[in-house]
């Protein structure tokens, strides 16, 4: 807008539908502003253009950015997700978790499929499932317990972020870390094919079931982590709960 700040403010004061005004760049004879409103974007743009024209204040550029609630939800959840994924790999928990499951899966693969000659990778995954009882609690123990311990949970809960966005962001970050060894497991049936007969449908269905089972375990660990301030207690209770469900099977 080719006008000084005072003149622009006088014009904007006539619009009761404007919720907020961000002054991005202000100089002596021009203003670059961002307007937030719940009114129809095209209508408010037309009204503003007419009003500024009547006051002989040329509007050189005007853009409309429509942000729906779904867009805002995804943007906030994505920010939480990125922060959590970054924290897992900065603290080495994500790297150790992915490496541990990959190595254990590789050992079972060598013993059952390469040395013993079993054509189904599902045999190897059956042995790795027990290792989830140990590794998943380590992955999920800090999801909420660390925030409660450091008192940063109050900052999250009082911020303009819904609880669903926080939970989904943290959960999807852990699922992403868990998905890394699962993706690597997808290579093993191809190696079996190079050695002889492979059953891709059974093997990849088993990997998918293994991934979904791990997602359930992560959800349990995340819930138990939200009940305590100690990550160690969260890990122990998650391990006990998962072991209990494992015995039920």
């Amino acid at each position: 807008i080719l006008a000084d700040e005072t003149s622009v403010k006088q014009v904007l004061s006539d619009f009761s539908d404007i919720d907020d005004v961000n002054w991005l760049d202000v100089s002596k004879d021009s203003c670059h502003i961002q307007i937030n409103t719940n009114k129809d974007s095209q209508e408010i743009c037309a009204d503003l253009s007419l009003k500024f024209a009547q006051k002989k204040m040329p509007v050189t550029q005007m853009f409309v950015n429509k942000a729906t609630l779904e867009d805002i939800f995804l943007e906030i959840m994505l920010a939480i997700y990125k922060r959590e994924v970054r924290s897992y790999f900065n603290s080495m928990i994500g790297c150790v978790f992915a490496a541990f499951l990959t190595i254990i899966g590789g050992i079972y693969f060598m013993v059952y499929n390469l040395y013993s000659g079993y054509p189904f990778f599902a045999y190897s995954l059956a042995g790795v499932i027990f290792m989830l009882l140990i590794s998943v609690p380590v992955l999920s123990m800090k999801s909420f317990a660390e925030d409660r311990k450091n008192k940063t949970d109050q900052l999250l809960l009082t911020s303009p972020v819904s609880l669903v966005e926080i939970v989904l962001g943290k959960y999807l970050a852990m699922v992403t870390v868990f998905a890394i060894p699962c993706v690597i497991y997808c290579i093993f049936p191809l190696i079996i094919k190079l050695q002889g007969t492979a059953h891709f449908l059974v093997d990849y269905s088993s990997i998918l079931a293994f991934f979904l089972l791990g997602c359930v375990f992560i959800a349990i660990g995340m819930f138990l982590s939200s009940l305590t301030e100690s990550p160690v207690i969260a890990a122990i209770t998650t391990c006990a709960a998962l072991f209990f469900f494992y015995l039920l099977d």
Side-chain angles (χ1 to χ4, degrees):
I1 305 169
L2 299 181
D4 60 274
E5 181 180 355
T6 303
S7 301
V8 173
K9 286 183 177 180
Q10 289 177 351
V11 174
L12 295 178
S13 63
D14 296 335
F15 291 85
S16 59
D17 295 320
I18 295 178
D19 299 326
D20 184 34
V21 178
N22 297 324
W23 297 86
L24 304 179
D25 185 21
V26 178
S27 62
K28 184 178 180 180
D29 55 356
S30 66
C31 297
H32 181 199
I33 62 175
Q34 179 183 8
I35 297 175
N36 300 318
T37 178
N38 292 324
K39 191 177 179 180
D40 181 75
S41 301
Q42 298 298 333
E43 183 179 351
I44 194 69
C45 285
D47 293 343
L48 284 171
S49 299
L50 179 60
K51 192 70 173 179
F52 281 120
Q54 292 174 348
K55 297 292 184 178
K56 301 185 184 301
M57 301 178 187
V59 179
T60 57
Q61 289 181 330
M62 183 176 292
F63 301 98
V64 178
N65 183 16
K66 293 184 178 180
T68 63
L69 291 177
E70 291 79 6
D71 295 333
I72 298 174
F73 176 86
L74 291 175
E75 183 178 352
I76 296 176
M77 189 181 69
L78 183 61
I80 297 175
Y81 166 80
K82 290 180 179 179
R83 188 200 69 172
E84 292 296 320
V85 171
R86 193 181 304 112
S87 67
Y88 277 118
F89 288 101
N90 287 340
S91 63
M92 294 301 294
I93 292 179
C95 296
V96 172
F97 175 86
F100 175 76
L101 284 184
T102 302
I103 292 172
I104 295 299
I107 292 174
Y108 276 103
F109 173 72
M110 292 178 60
V111 173
Y112 282 110
N113 301 114
L114 297 184
Y115 293 158
S116 301
Y118 287 106
F120 296 98
F121 182 62
Y123 286 108
S124 302
L125 283 180
V128 182
I129 288 177
F130 183 79
M131 294 301 168
L132 286 180
L133 308 182
I134 303 172
S135 57
V136 167
V138 175
L139 179 67
S140 63
M141 65 180 183
K142 297 176 63 177
S143 55
F144 280 103
E146 187 76 7
D147 289 332
R148 296 187 65 180
K149 180 181 178 181
N150 297 330
K151 306 302 181 183
T152 56
D153 60 323
Q154 298 301 322
L155 296 176
L156 284 174
L157 296 176
T158 56
S159 63
V161 182
S162 69
L163 185 60
V164 175
E165 293 168 341
I166 297 173
V167 172
L168 284 179
K170 289 177 174 288
Y171 177 73
L172 292 177
M174 288 186 286
V175 169
T176 300
V177 176
F178 175 64
I180 295 175
C182 293
V183 171
I184 297 176
Y185 290 160
C186 293
I187 302 175
F188 293 159
L190 300 177
I191 299 176
I192 296 176
K193 180 63 177 178
L194 295 177
Q195 303 297 323
T197 303
H199 303 272
F200 290 130
L201 180 60
V202 175
D203 288 342
Y204 286 114
S205 298
S206 300
I207 294 174
L208 177 60
F210 177 81
F211 173 74
L212 295 177
L213 179 64
C215 292
V216 174
F217 285 177
I218 290 173
I220 295 174
M222 188 175 183
F223 169 71
L224 294 175
S225 176
S226 66
L227 302 179
T228 178
E229 294 183 357
S230 173
V232 176
I233 295 177
I236 294 174
T237 54
T238 301
C239 186
L242 297 183
F243 189 72
F244 172 76
F245 290 123
Y246 181 81
L247 292 180
L248 290 180
D249 186 43

